[in-house]
Amino acid sequence: MKINIYICMVSVLLISLSSCELARDLDDFEPNYALDADAAIVDEASAELALAGVYSGFRQRSIGAGNPEIYYIPSLMSGLMLNSSFNTNQETMGYIDNTPIPMNASSGLGAYSRMYDIVNRCNWLIEKVALLSDADFDTPGRRAEILGEAKAVRATANFYLLRLFGQFYDTDSRYGITLRMEPARSSEALPRNTVAEVYEALIKDLDDAIADAPDLRARYYTNKTYAKGLKAKVMLYQGDYAGAAVLAGEVIHSSGGSFDLAPDYAGIFADHTSPALFETREVLFGSKGEPRANLGIGNYMGFWGAAHPMFGAFGEQWMTIGGQNITYDGDRIALTTREDDFYGLLSGKYRNQNLGETYEMIYHLRMAEVYLVYAEAHARSNHSVTSEALEALNAVRRRAGATATGEDGFETYPASIPLAQFLEAVRIEKYIELAMETGEEWFDLVRYHFVDGFDVTTVKPTATDPDKYILPIDGVTIEAGKNVVEQNPGY
């Protein structure tokens, strides 16, 4: 059977099979400008071209094609975002009501198939580059670096799939995702792997990336530090808190100045008129959007969704610790949101074409999140609020303008904070700090529910059914694979 890797002359990007195409006969799939896979990647230049295609998988395609739904859906489920007044799409209403639609939901199918498309691009690249030798590359060490970058991207896509479609919160569950570690060469459907098997594959890919990926080419490419930070996050989800704390601590303390908390929170997202947006040391890895190369979220923000009106005032709420009322936020929400008369409360983290802005980034991992992963993991692994955990949380708050006077208001948290309140403070800090980026606040709610018994309905009243905390696998996809893939419970 002839298998092709497709290189489009217009976009000069590698395109390979997406999971929604797996039911087709590959012998009948012969687009223009096709190259045989065995001939497509033969040296450094062709490998770099294929790698560009791997990264392009995170760009927007079209409505229902997966980007930016993969980042957008979790915030609909958490209640942080709502449909805008313009959008009456019933599928997204299902996410808002925490009753996702099990069949033919194009947004859910798009998120599912898009991430598998990225995985398959990575698989083709990894297989073909592994067959080459270092002598086929002009740049010393570049062959290993490309393999490391691709494995970090593959781990990212698989992690996104696991969080949305698998019971990521239960390492004993059989409802993981289908792991595809080799290129798709037929329409054969594969059964789901266990959650434990998925975590094992993620860790293996990230260990390889830590060993082989470059130190830093640019912040829109994966690198060793990103791989280490993502591994810390994966281990936090997995419940390996001690391991997560060690790795996150290494990222914080041993990044050599290349990665750090940016001094100004709002400045991370401020300049959408020039490539300077991509230069902040805060970003460990982000997908890059340039003029005429839409990334997606900026297009969707407003037209499809907006922040819940209550989010604007959320930072004014407080936690009482020893008689001290500590507010959740200073001005981060105000600095990174804008009120639109028609659409509602929008995020200023993404470009606004009406203001002539053209540059955008999707933030897969920022240093602030690594600090907060460290804070939670260190506290959980020690069953107490350690000085290290408290300092990591307060470092993020100080960057946002918190003071340490011991008075009411936007203050740092005191050492007297109990563990339960500390963990809640970390969750709230992430909710504000990472708002409308990749939906992390929803996955925190789910994790806290299964780890601590947290009542998700106190944040999202409609989230009453834990089976609906993850999305259904599209019914059409299951039927096309002759029911080899088992549906999630409750659907």
Side-chain angles (χ1 to χ4, degrees), residues 392-410:
L393 171 59
N394 282 334
V396 176
R397 289 176 67 80
R398 283 195 300 270
R399 191 269 295 274
T403 59
T405 62
E407 304 293 335
D408 292 344
F410 187 46

Side-chain angles (χ1 to χ4, degrees), residues 244-294:
V246 168
L247 280 177
E250 289 179 6
V251 172
I252 293 169
H253 301 299
S254 305
S255 296
S258 297
F259 303 93
D260 201 357
L261 284 176
D264 174 25
Y265 174 76
I268 299 168
F269 321 101
D271 187 2
H272 294 276
T273 63
S274 79
L277 181 72
F278 311 132
E279 296 172 2
T280 173
R281 60 188 181 182
E282 173 89 14
V283 177
L284 278 71
F285 171 52
S287 291
K288 175 186 180 184
E290 302 173 306
R292 299 177 302 281
N294 292 338

Side-chain angles (χ1 to χ4, degrees), residues 10 39 125 136 144 153 159 189 195 248 260 288 293 388 416 432-433 446 475:
V10 176
L125 177 60
D136 295 312
V153 173
F159 185 49
V195 171
D260 201 357
K288 175 186 180 184
E388 295 89 346
S416 60
I432 294 171
E433 175 75 25
V446 176

